[in-house]
């Protein structure tokens, strides 16, 4: 995967003055759009769209300082108007294009190169399981994307669950892990940059239909799941595992992501320094 990403960067560099779409770039790598967007964001630390924008504005800055007209530069890098280009350039550099030229200001964003930084062996335990379609019944809420610490919006959602809802979920929950699970789906915004939101469901996995009006139901399609057990201090170990999946496991595995909800659960105990969790992501063989 890292070789593919470096090949992608080469392709982008050669086509920065042309239209570049996610679907086109995914076809270049022979992978799905979903897999490309998610893995690029986790490994690069930004969205693919943000990377392309930064590289275009870097070259636009260079062209302006070399004497090219603002109008020509704006249209060269795909902006439909001088106003739109000037606004994007100012947001990126802190200067309007004309100000940058007058002051000789130059900001750069270098092209990326992906490589494996080996700092000692780190193995990841995982298993691959095929699961038939199942449902999750529970409560949902749109919450902000957050990586570090405990997401208070999810905590608030959990606190809204009534005793009656708990009873109903336990009654319906007849599938592994036979306990509360967290399901994240319908991502909006930038996953890695903590911009945007996602739908969060707290509930139970079930083979049954939901007869209760106070519970929501989410249908999960049949899929192959990569399952990552982890054990350690909560929530750090769980969050580190999420990062390792995208930064280490996916680039070196024979699998790519399938667009599907992400699932996790935690077995709570009295000691938060040794907490068992699992993460499930839907995948397919490359």
């Amino acid at each position: 995967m890292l070789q593919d990403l470096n090949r992608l960067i080469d392709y982008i560099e050669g086509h920065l003055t042309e239209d570049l779409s996610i679907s086109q770039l995914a076809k270049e790598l022979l992978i799905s759009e979903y897999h490309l967007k998610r893995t690029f964001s986790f490994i690069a630390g930004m969205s693919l769209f943000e990377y392309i924008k930064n590289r275009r504005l870097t070259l636009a800055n260079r062209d302006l300082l070399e004497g090219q007209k603002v109008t020509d530069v704006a249209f060269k890098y795909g902006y439909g108007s001088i106003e739109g280009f000037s606004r994007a350039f100012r947001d990126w550099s802190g200067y309007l294009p004309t100000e940058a030229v007058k002051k000789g200001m130059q900001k750069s964003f270098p092209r990326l190169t992906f490589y494996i930084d080996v700092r000692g062996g780190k193995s990841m335990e995982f298993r691959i399981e095929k699961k038939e379609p199942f449902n999750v019944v529970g409560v949902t809420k749109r919450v902000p994307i957050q990586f570090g610490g405990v997401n208070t919006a999810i905590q608030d959602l959990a606190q809204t669950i009534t005793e009656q809802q708990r009873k109903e979920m336990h009654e319906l929950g007849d599938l592994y892990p036979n306990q509360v699970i967290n399901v994240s789906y319908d991502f909006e915004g930038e996953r890695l940059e903590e911009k945007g939101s996602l739908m969060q469901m707290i509930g139970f996995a079930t083979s049954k239909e939901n007869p209760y009006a106070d519970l929501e139901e989410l249908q999960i399609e049949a899929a192959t799941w990569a399952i990552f057990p982890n054990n350690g201090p909560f929530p750090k170990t769980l969050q580190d595992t999420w990062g390792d999946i995208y930064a280490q496991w996916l680039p070196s595995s024979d699998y790519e992501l399938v667009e599907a909800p992400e699932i996790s659960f935690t077995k709570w105990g009295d000691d938060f320094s040794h907490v068992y969790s699992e993460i499930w992501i839907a995948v397919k063989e490359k």
Side-chain angles (χ1 to χ4, degrees):
M1 183 62 190
L2 292 183
Q3 290 180 339
D4 290 337
L5 288 176
N6 284 321
R7 183 161 56 86
L8 173 67
I9 295 299
D10 289 339
Y11 182 86
I12 290 171
E13 288 297 313
H15 297 79
L16 282 171
T17 59
E18 304 171 19
D19 290 335
L20 290 170
S21 66
I22 297 295
S23 60
Q24 174 191 353
L25 296 174
K27 287 179 181 177
E28 287 292 321
L29 296 187
L30 302 177
I31 59 175
S32 70
E33 295 179 38
Y34 183 77
H35 181 79
L36 174 58
K37 288 189 293 185
R38 298 301 299 280
T39 54
F40 187 94
S41 292
F42 267 89
I43 296 173
M46 69 189 70
S47 70
L48 187 53
F49 171 80
E50 189 75 11
Y51 175 76
I52 293 171
K53 182 186 74 173
N54 286 338
R55 287 297 296 150
R56 282 174 169 163
L57 289 171
T58 293
L59 298 186
N61 196 160
R62 179 203 64 189
D63 291 350
L64 289 170
L65 294 182
E66 289 179 352
Q68 296 187 34
K69 296 180 180 178
V70 174
T71 303
D72 294 339
V73 173
F75 290 112
K76 178 180 180 180
Y77 291 103
Y79 288 88
S81 67
I82 297 176
E83 292 78 12
F85 171 68
S86 296
R87 184 166 54 250
F89 191 88
R90 182 189 59 200
D91 291 343
W92 176 72
S93 70
Y95 296 91
L96 289 170
T98 51
E99 293 174 333
V101 172
K102 288 179 182 178
K103 298 179 180 181
M105 300 300 298
Q106 184 166 359
K107 178 179 178 180
S108 66
F109 184 90
R111 62 172 285 169
L112 288 176
T113 299
F114 296 96
Y115 64 95
I116 298 175
D117 184 9
V118 180
R119 300 181 180 178
K122 182 176 182 180
S123 61
M124 290 191 70
E125 181 182 350
F126 72 95
R127 64 183 187 271
I128 302 295
E129 290 187 10
K130 291 184 178 180
K131 293 183 179 293
E132 296 300 316
F134 63 95
N135 298 325
V136 180
V137 292
V139 296
T140 63
K141 179 183 179 181
R142 182 160 289 279
V143 302
I145 294 172
Q146 177 183 324
F147 303 120
V150 177
N151 191 319
T152 57
I154 297 177
Q155 278 189 327
D156 293 342
L157 174 61
Q159 291 172 0
T160 67
I161 300 174
T162 65
E163 288 300 324
Q164 182 64 28
Q165 288 173 320
R166 287 191 179 90
K167 179 181 177 182
E168 293 165 354
M169 286 190 283
H170 278 278
E171 176 187 324
L172 294 171
D174 62 346
L175 296 178
Y176 179 83
N178 305 105
Q179 69 158 73
V180 170
I181 63 175
N182 292 283
V183 185
S184 303
Y185 60 102
D186 192 17
F187 294 92
E188 292 183 355
E190 298 304 329
R191 175 84 162 96
L192 186 68
E193 299 175 51
E194 294 190 282
K195 297 176 183 178
S197 62
L198 56 86
M199 286 300 296
Q200 185 74 19
M201 172 174 270
I202 299 175
F204 276 68
T206 180
S207 63
K208 303 174 184 178
E209 297 293 327
N210 173 34
Y212 300 112
D214 60 346
L215 294 181
E216 297 185 60
E217 178 179 288
L218 178 66
Q219 297 179 339
I220 309 292
E221 296 182 358
T224 299
W225 298 85
I227 299 175
F228 300 84
N230 54 94
N231 200 332
F234 182 87
K236 185 178 185 303
T237 302
L238 180 64
Q239 292 164 348
D240 288 348
T241 302
W242 275 116
D244 290 342
I245 289 170
Y246 283 88
Q248 298 184 35
W249 186 79
L250 274 170
S252 60
S253 76
D254 296 324
Y255 295 91
E256 67 177 77
L257 293 172
V258 172
E259 187 166 3
E262 297 173 347
I263 298 174
S264 66
F265 69 85
T266 298
K267 291 184 179 293
W268 299 106
D270 296 330
D271 184 1
F272 273 37
S273 65
H274 293 88
V275 177
Y276 178 84
S277 301
E278 284 187 11
I279 294 172
W280 302 3
I281 58 169
V283 297
K284 66 178 181 179
E285 291 189 13
K286 294 178 182 177

